[in-house]
Structure formats: structure tokens, C-alpha cells
């Protein structure tokens, strides 16, 4: 698959084919964020352009919409994403804050929390069954989180929405858990595996772009949770 880099400018950046990389605010509801509602301004044009280009490059490499998410103030938040007509963003039919147990993004953030913090989160957000594939048992979810191989992406196999599969890789630029993720509007396990492999390999580029954008240096990792991180 050929890769492309498209420079951006202005408050919102979009590619010539209608796709784009956008930043959305961390505060308030995440409902509607994947439908192009206005968000926060880029804090620095140069750093913002680098992140936009990185996300657009990754979108074209994996052939899927890509996202950056964070766990801030006890909630899941999509902070940036890049999509296009041929790589559409997932339809947010349930608020992502309510679906950490059922989404790759949520799992990649929860895996960076200790068991008590996970239970506290799930105590505030019930593990509802959104599809027949949704995990609704804390024990089963924690087993999935804690037994994955180091560096292995977290996946959502039609757990959030039927017909959609996702993968996410934990990253960290500061004290808050973060991740980079992708979504595919087709339940093709081979395509997901291929895209997840590229996502894992390119996650470091997103991490670097976030660090250039002014994120705080990460603290030492002592929890043993495998994630992509640049030590101070």
C-alpha cells in the first residue's frame, strides 16, 4: 500500500480527498466528536502540523481511520483522529466513555491502570452488552488485559458494534494513560491483524509527534505494563 503525506494548515486540516486529521477537546462529552464538531485549537502550528501529518500517514499506511485517546480525570477521551472517505471513522452509537470494556481504545487505557483503578472505573460505567460479542465479566476482561503478550495490540472484535473491528496500542507521554488505535468497518481478521501489525510498528511515530507537541516527559514505568514509551 502506497503511503502519502499531506501538509496541513489552518485551524482544521483536511486532505484533498475529504479525509483529514483533527484534534478534538478533552473536556466535556465525547458524543459527536467523530462527526466533525468544532474542537480545541492547535496549541502550536508546527507541532500540530507534525501530528496531523503523522496521523494522516498512519491512516494511509493501515488503510483505516486512526485515533489518539487518553484517560483523563477518570474518563476515556478521543483527543485526535484521522479519517477519510475510504477509511471512515467508527460510528459512535454509544458514548465511548461508557464503552471502555467493549472498545480497543478503552482496553488499551484500562490495561495501564491497576486493578483497583479498573474496578473503580467499571463501577461507574456498567459493562453493558452492546453486541453478542461484548465482554461483560470483569474477570474475563481483566484476564484478557493481563495475559496479552508484551507489545500485542488490544482488540475489539465486534464488541462495540457489529461489523466493526478495532486495535489499539498503549502509549504514554505523561502521567495519563494514552493509546493509538485504528478501526476497520469490516470484520476481516486477516486485515485487522495486518493493520494492527503496522499500527504497533508505527506507534512510536505518534508518540514522538505528541511529545513534540508539548506533552510532559513520561515518568519511569514501574507497573510492568507493556506500552510504547520514551523514558526521560
Amino acid at each position: 500500500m502506497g503511503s502519502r503525506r499531506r501538509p496541513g494548515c489552518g485551524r482544521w486540516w483536511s486532505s484533498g480527498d475529504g479525509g483529514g486529521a483533527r484534534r478534538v477537546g478533552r473536556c466535556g462529552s465525547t458524543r459527536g466528536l467523530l462527526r466533525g464538531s468544532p474542537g480545541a485549537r492547535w496549541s502550536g502550528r508546527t507541532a500540530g502540523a507534525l501530528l496531523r501529518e503523522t496521523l494522516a500517514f498512519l491512516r494511509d499506511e493501515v488503510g483505516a481511520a486512526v485515533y489518539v485517546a487518553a484517560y483523563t480525570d477518570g474518563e476515556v477521551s478521543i483527543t485526535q483522529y484521522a479519517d477519510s472517505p475510504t477509511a471512515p471513522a467508527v460510528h459512535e452509537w454509544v458514548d465511548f466513555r461508557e464503552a471502555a470494556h467493549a472498545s480497543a481504545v478503552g482496553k488499551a487505557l484500562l490495561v495501564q491502570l491497576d486493578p483497583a483503578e479498573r474496578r473503580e472505573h467499571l463501577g461507574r460505567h456498567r459493562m453493558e452488552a452492546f453486541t453478542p460479542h461484548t465482554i461483560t465479566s470483569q474477570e474475563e476482561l481483566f484476564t484478557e488485559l493481563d495475559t496479552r503478550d508484551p507489545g500485542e495490540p488490544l482488540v475489539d472484535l465486534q464488541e462495540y458494534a457489529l461489523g466493526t473491528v478495532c486495535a489499539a496500542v498503549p502509549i504514554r507521554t505523561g502521567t495519563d494513560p494514552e493509546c493509538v488505535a485504528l478501526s476497520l468497518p469490516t470484520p476481516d481478521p486477516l486485515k485487522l491483524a495486518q493493520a494492527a501489525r503496522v499500527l504497533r510498528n508505527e506507534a512510536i511515530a505518534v508518540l514522538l509527534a505528541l511529545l513534540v507537541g508539548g506533552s510532559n516527559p513520561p515518568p519511569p514505568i514501574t507497573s510492568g505494563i507493556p506500552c510504547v514509551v520514551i523514558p526521560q
Side-chain angles (χ1 to χ4, degrees):
M1 179 184 299
S3 61
R4 296 166 287 174
R5 297 186 63 187
R6 302 189 180 99
C9 60
R11 179 178 180 185
W12 294 104
W13 176 86
S14 64
S15 62
D17 60 5
R22 309 172 182 130
R23 176 173 179 170
V24 294
R26 290 193 178 199
C27 301
S29 173
T30 58
R31 294 284 292 172
L33 294 184
L34 298 187
R35 292 186 287 277
S37 58
R41 290 182 181 273
W42 291 92
S43 59
R45 182 167 181 172
T46 300
L50 173 61
L51 181 56
R52 292 193 296 269
E53 291 180 6
T54 301
L55 292 178
F57 173 85
L58 181 56
R59 176 201 64 201
D60 293 345
E61 280 289 288
V62 300
V66 295
Y67 314 79
V68 175
Y71 191 78
T72 306
D73 297 327
E75 300 294 349
V76 174
S77 176
I78 304 294
T79 56
Q80 294 96 11
Y81 76 101
D83 65 351
S84 74
T86 57
V90 66
H91 172 57
E92 188 185 355
W93 77 282
V94 174
D95 192 323
F96 285 147
R97 294 175 299 181
E98 304 293 335
H101 65 289
S103 66
V105 161
K107 293 177 185 180
L109 299 176
L110 291 176
V111 77
Q112 300 180 62
L113 304 180
D114 64 39
E117 290 172 323
R118 295 176 192 170
R119 285 192 290 269
E120 191 278 332
H121 177 88
L122 297 173
R124 290 183 288 109
H125 301 288
R126 293 181 57 188
M127 298 178 66
E128 300 285 353
F130 304 130
T131 78
H133 307 287
T134 306
I135 296 173
T136 57
S137 161
Q138 283 195 23
E139 181 179 1
E140 184 179 353
L141 177 63
F142 287 13
T143 298
E144 177 181 334
L145 299 181
D146 296 332
T147 59
R148 73 186 185 102
D149 294 331
E152 180 184 359
L154 284 303
V155 296
D156 156 15
L157 302 176
Q158 302 188 77
E159 298 164 49
Y160 175 77
L162 292 176
T164 298
V165 292
C166 307
V169 175
I171 60 175
R172 186 172 297 181
T173 61
T175 57
D176 292 335
E178 296 174 274
C179 70
V180 57
L182 64 84
S183 65
L184 289 168
T186 175
D188 183 335
L190 178 58
K191 187 173 182 181
L192 177 64
Q194 293 172 337
R197 189 178 308 112
V198 177
L199 181 74
R200 180 188 60 198
N201 294 339
E202 298 295 339
I204 190 68
V206 177
L207 179 59
L208 288 170
L210 288 168
L211 288 170
V212 169
S215 298
N216 295 324
I221 302 302
T222 59
S223 64
I225 297 170
C227 63
V228 180
V229 61
I230 295 180
Q232 185 173 356

